[in-house]
Amino acid sequence: MSPQDSEADSGPALIELRDLRKRYGQDQAATDGPPPVEVLHGINLRIHAGEFVAIVGASGSGKSTLMHLLGCLDRPSSGTYRFKGRDVSTLDADALADLRRQDFGFIFQGYHLIPTESAQENVEVPALYAGMPKTERTGRAVALLTRLGLGDKLRNRPNQLSGGQQQRVSIARALMNGGKVILADEPTGALDTRSGAEVMTLLHELADTGHTVILITHDRQVAQQARRVIELRDGSIVSDTGDEPPTHASPQCSEPKNETASAALAEMRATLRAAWRVMWVNRFRTSLTLLGIIIGVASVIVMLAVGEGSQRQIMAQMAAFGARTLQIYPQWSSAQVQPAKITLDDVAAVRDVRQVVAAAPYIEGTLTIRRGNTDHKANTGGTTTDFPRTMNWGMARGAFFTEADELALAKVAVLGHSVYRKLFPAGGDPVGQEILIDNQPFLVVGVLRKKGASMGEDQDNRIVVPFDTAATRLFGRRNPDWIAVLIENLQSAGATGEAIQAELTRRRDAADLQIWNQAEAIRVQSQTDRTMTLMLGLIAAISLVVGGIGVMNVMLMAVRERTREIGIRMATGARGSDILRQFLGEAVLVTVTGGGIGVLAGLMIGGALLLANVPLAFSWTAIFVAFFCAASCGLVFGYMPAKQAAQLDPVVALASE
Ligand code: ADP
Ligand code: MG
């Protein structure tokens, strides 16, 4: 397959380096950085499949640099590197990740295990990125660890293992995806003699079973154990015991098969599980981050529920007070000594305006009502039989007085609900009972239906009698204090109001009356309420954004803290997109959790408010939208840090502390 076959003395080489050079600090040279340093000066090297090679050299001679190049963790500055005959420099980052995942297994001096994951999970990492199905992955990891004598330490975290054990975990990890080429950088450097010897025995076994093993060490004695020793000094090869191809064939190790399609879900689940663990490990920090999201979501839900609740209450009020009712009052300004007087002719004129269905005069005063020993002050009004219709006010008991009563100046009274309750505390039928209004006997004929409060006044603390009766017997004047008007339809309330106003102004030669539109007033009120809700909603939304920024901050911190973990994952074959997905997954998990708790908190706060009689109506749409916003907050604010993580250079990431 290799085009270089012709000049090979012993078959195609697995690895072929030609005049490979590596310079550091190239890009900074233009500015104030140190001048570029060449640390590998034209390396020429061929390694065949199945060889056991030791690269030996003093510290600083460029061994690690060479290993990073061999393992496709880094790119050479010049020269060519052919792996299986293919020029590696033509490959993009993802293709290099694929190579690392399929062909290489790394063993580092510092083990480089992921501290938050157990031994077994650490070993499974490369298979995760290879898309191996879960059962196979678990089986293989357990088998490898058991083979390396760690069958009873599967669940241990790295900090619960000795150095030798951690190095064996990292060897198992290197073998997880087959590990055709094992690259070991000072694998015994941090170990005591016995553990070191164990690791060397393992490497021998691997070489015997067909793995290509490249061992990097500064220790000559360790290097002597390999079948071929290459010595590196100051970035150049100074001796090589020769590249004889091994007698045995290519790797015997079982190669795992990958089912990428079916494993996507498993990988997703593993990502979420890992994300959950990271969240749990940093639970204090996470909960602080969550707080912003929780407050945001909960307040959005509560604010909108309160807004919706008051909206509904207003609608109910509108229904109760009759949206088609207008009231005409004298204008009352400080410049006037006395308010303008309304006359009964005005009432008649209003009645004649188009679109006006009925108009009822109302003359009123506060008088003392008495029954038995009970005295009570109430609004006493004289009006006509049109009153119930114009005010949209039905009867709870008995009947309203009649036109005959009006004509006869009858002393009959209709009680408002509060007056009824006051005078008849025991309940019972008041119709036919006698009461005193301003010490004059009146006969109760009916009770008005309960209406409630409007503009802070109890509308039911009222007693109504015929207009003429009130005018002559109670007040001694005939000018209505206001007029209740029923109009034909609500849509043209404004125009009708203007028509009435125009007619009255024309008749009276002055614009001294004003029209009060109950429905309009309620609508204005509801408008301010809605503005208020909107404002509060905005504040809630801002707190969501602040929460999102918190998430971003924490994720940026996480990326910085876990740079080495990212490097490890990349070395085991994670593509940039895998890293992106992982960190995005973590961010979304945080915000989804925050959103969920926020919804619960919102419902609980709302429930408490309901118990405190605050009118409240939960909107499921609002709840869904708030949750959705929180969740997408994770996507939006997690993206930048995740992207940053995904773009890290594997070597730089691995070298970080
Ligand atoms: P070894 O592994 O043999 O001890 P290295 O390959 O780590 O040697 O380093 C070889 C030389 O390259 C050293 O002089 C080191 O200072 C230098 N070097 C390594 N990495 C970098 C880097 N990222 N930037 C600049 N110089 C580096
Ligand atoms: Mg080194």
Side-chain angles (χ1 to χ4, degrees):
M1 202 178 162
S2 165
Q4 309 298 318
D5 275 1
S6 53
E7 55 176 277
D9 50 336
S10 46
L14 178 72
I15 288 170
E16 180 160 351
L17 307 181
R18 289 198 164 203
D19 197 30
L20 204 73
R21 287 166 194 276
K22 180 70 186 177
R23 280 181 291 274
Y24 283 116
Q26 248 164 333
D27 25 337
Q28 291 105 309
T31 57
D32 55 348
V37 200
E38 190 170 271
V39 295
L40 290 178
H41 317 290
I43 303 283
N44 290 292
L45 183 61
R46 290 159 64 86
I47 297 175
H48 289 87
E51 279 195 89
F52 184 4
V53 184
I55 297 174
V56 70
S59 175
S61 56
K63 307 181 298 292
S64 295
T65 305
L66 181 57
M67 188 198 88
H68 292 150
L69 293 175
L70 287 173
C72 298
L73 284 167
D74 205 356
R75 292 172 184 275
S77 305
S78 68
T80 52
Y81 171 16
R82 286 178 188 280
F83 184 76
K84 289 182 179 166
R86 194 153 63 142
D87 188 350
V88 168
S89 67
T90 61
L91 302 177
D92 65 8
D94 278 359
L96 289 180
D98 291 346
L99 258 190
R100 291 197 292 272
R101 190 169 59 244
Q102 287 156 12
D103 293 294
F104 294 103
F106 294 92
I107 302 167
F108 298 97
Q109 174 173 3
Y111 329 125
H112 283 3
L113 299 175
I114 297 168
T116 53
E117 306 206 334
S118 70
Q120 185 191 327
E121 284 158 347
N122 264 289
V123 173
E124 285 183 24
V125 166
L128 216 60
Y129 296 124
M132 194 188 291
K134 179 167 168 50
T135 42
E136 192 188 336
R137 193 173 72 220
T138 312
R140 199 174 154 83
V142 172
L144 281 170
L145 283 169
T146 310
R147 202 173 101 199
L148 298 182
L150 291 171
D152 56 340
K153 302 274 191 254
L154 300 176
R155 305 244 146 266
N156 288 34
R157 293 260 176 80
N159 61 5
Q160 299 164 325
L161 294 169
S162 74
Q165 287 167 337
Q166 288 187 61
Q167 195 58 299
R168 275 183 279 160
V169 172
S170 90
I171 292 172
R173 180 178 63 192
L175 294 172
M176 190 62 190
N177 282 350
K180 275 175 254 168
V181 183
I182 299 289
L183 289 163
D185 190 357
E186 307 271 10
T188 59
L191 299 179
D192 57 84
T193 328
R194 218 176 69 100
S195 306
E198 272 172 23
V199 166
M200 283 310 294
T201 311
L202 278 170
L203 290 180
H204 270 287
E205 278 172 26
L206 292 178
D208 289 342
T209 50
H211 293 268
T212 308
V213 179
I214 302 175
L215 165 69
I216 281 163
T217 179
H218 65 277
D219 187 334
R220 254 168 218 292
Q221 267 173 337
V222 170
Q224 291 310 322
Q225 299 178 37
R227 285 195 272 272
R228 172 182 171 192
V229 180
I230 296 168
E231 193 179 343
L232 203 61
R233 194 177 299 155
D234 293 332
S236 303
I237 292 177
V238 292
S239 77
D240 186 346
T241 57
D243 59 334
E244 276 149 48
T247 43
H248 48 241
S250 50
Q252 309 298 305
C253 62
S254 61
E255 267 185 60
K257 43 187 183 304
N258 305 330
E259 290 171 36
T260 321
S262 72
L265 202 75
E267 194 179 337
M268 182 84 171
R269 213 176 305 136
T271 304
L272 281 182
R273 197 153 38 91
W276 177 261
R277 194 158 10 191
V278 169
M279 220 170 98
W280 183 247
V281 168
N282 300 314
R283 53 191 172 276
F284 181 65
R285 190 168 80 185
T286 309
S287 54
L288 284 181
T289 318
L290 282 179
L291 215 55
I293 302 280
I294 293 171
I295 292 172
V297 169
S299 48
V300 165
I301 289 172
V302 173
M303 292 313 153
L304 291 179
V306 167
E308 179 68 20
S310 67
Q311 203 65 30
R312 285 195 193 173
Q313 199 186 35
I314 284 160
M315 294 314 274
Q317 266 185 10
M318 287 253 261
F321 283 98
R324 294 190 295 138
T325 303
L326 306 181
Q327 277 159 285
I328 301 171
Y329 288 95
Q331 228 155 37
W332 176 250
S333 72
S334 52
Q336 287 167 286
V337 183
Q338 283 225 310
K341 280 195 163 75
I342 302 176
T343 66
L344 285 174
D345 290 341
D346 290 331
V347 180
V350 168
R351 210 173 276 136
D352 287 340
V353 172
R354 271 192 61 203
Q355 294 261 8
V356 171
V357 179
Y362 198 90
I363 182 167
E364 67 186 352
T366 303
L367 299 177
T368 303
I369 322 292
R370 172 176 297 169
R371 175 174 179 258
N373 291 329
T374 315
D375 267 8
H376 179 65
K377 280 198 183 311
N379 173 296
T380 307
T383 186
T384 65
T385 49
D386 278 334
F387 180 80
R389 191 153 65 117
T390 52
M391 295 296 282
N392 186 35
W393 212 328
M395 301 300 294
R397 284 166 182 274
F400 206 75
F401 55 77
T402 62
E403 272 175 46
D405 291 330
E406 287 189 83
L407 287 173
L409 298 186
K411 294 210 239 175
V412 290
V414 178
L415 306 185
H417 208 266
S418 300
V419 174
Y420 164 63
R421 294 282 295 276
K422 211 66 191 192
L423 299 185
F424 297 87
D429 193 357
V431 175
Q433 302 270 342
E434 200 181 75
I435 57 167
L436 295 178
I437 303 178
D438 206 20
N439 286 323
Q440 301 182 52
F442 275 74
L443 197 68
V444 177
V445 292
V447 179
L448 289 168
R449 198 174 284 154
K450 186 174 163 61
K451 189 145 249 190
S454 163
M455 306 296 139
E457 236 177 279
D458 180 9
Q459 298 297 310
D460 298 311
N461 191 26
R462 175 192 305 273
I463 189 161
V464 188
V465 302
F467 186 86
D468 285 332
T469 311
T472 52
R473 300 191 195 269
L474 297 176
F475 300 123
R477 61 186 168 91
R478 298 192 62 79
N479 298 99
D481 292 290
W482 50 275
I483 311 170
V485 183
L486 179 68
I487 58 169
E488 216 163 85
N489 73 61
L490 182 61
Q491 275 69 43
S492 54
T496 308
E498 275 166 32
I500 294 170
Q501 188 74 268
E503 173 61 17
L504 288 173
T505 308
R506 192 190 61 75
R507 265 184 52 77
R508 299 170 59 88
D509 238 355
D512 55 358
L513 301 184
Q514 66 181 16
I515 297 181
W516 167 257
N517 183 342
Q518 182 80 29
E520 194 54 38
I522 290 170
R523 195 165 316 124
V524 168
Q525 174 74 31
S526 86
Q527 208 66 49
T528 29
D529 280 7
R530 199 172 308 166
T531 314
M532 196 68 185
T533 311
L534 219 71
M535 289 282 293
L536 294 172
L538 200 71
I539 292 170
I542 288 171
S543 83
L544 252 183
V545 170
V546 171
I549 292 171
V551 170
M552 175 146 75
N553 191 21
V554 161
M555 291 313 295
L556 282 172
M557 251 155 73
V559 170
R560 182 155 305 172
E561 270 169 21
R562 286 154 63 204
T563 303
R564 198 165 66 176
E565 176 191 323
I566 295 166
I568 295 166
R569 290 181 183 277
M570 286 178 159
T572 61
R575 297 171 212 87
S577 57
D578 294 320
I579 302 292
L580 182 82
R581 188 168 32 201
Q582 182 195 342
F583 280 86
L584 216 49
E586 283 179 23
V588 172
L589 188 68
V590 169
T591 53
V592 163
T593 309
I597 299 175
V599 168
L600 283 181
L603 290 176
M604 271 160 59
I605 295 170
L609 287 176
L610 271 178
L611 287 180
N613 271 327
V614 175
L616 199 104
F618 285 116
S619 142
W620 293 111
T621 332
I623 291 176
F624 177 79
V625 167
F627 180 78
F628 182 79
C629 284
S632 35
C633 219
L635 272 184
V636 172
F637 290 98
Y639 184 78
M640 203 261 270
K643 189 79 196 163
Q644 203 175 358
Q647 284 171 341
L648 281 172
D649 182 330
V651 180
V652 174
L654 269 176
S656 87
E657 241 342 285

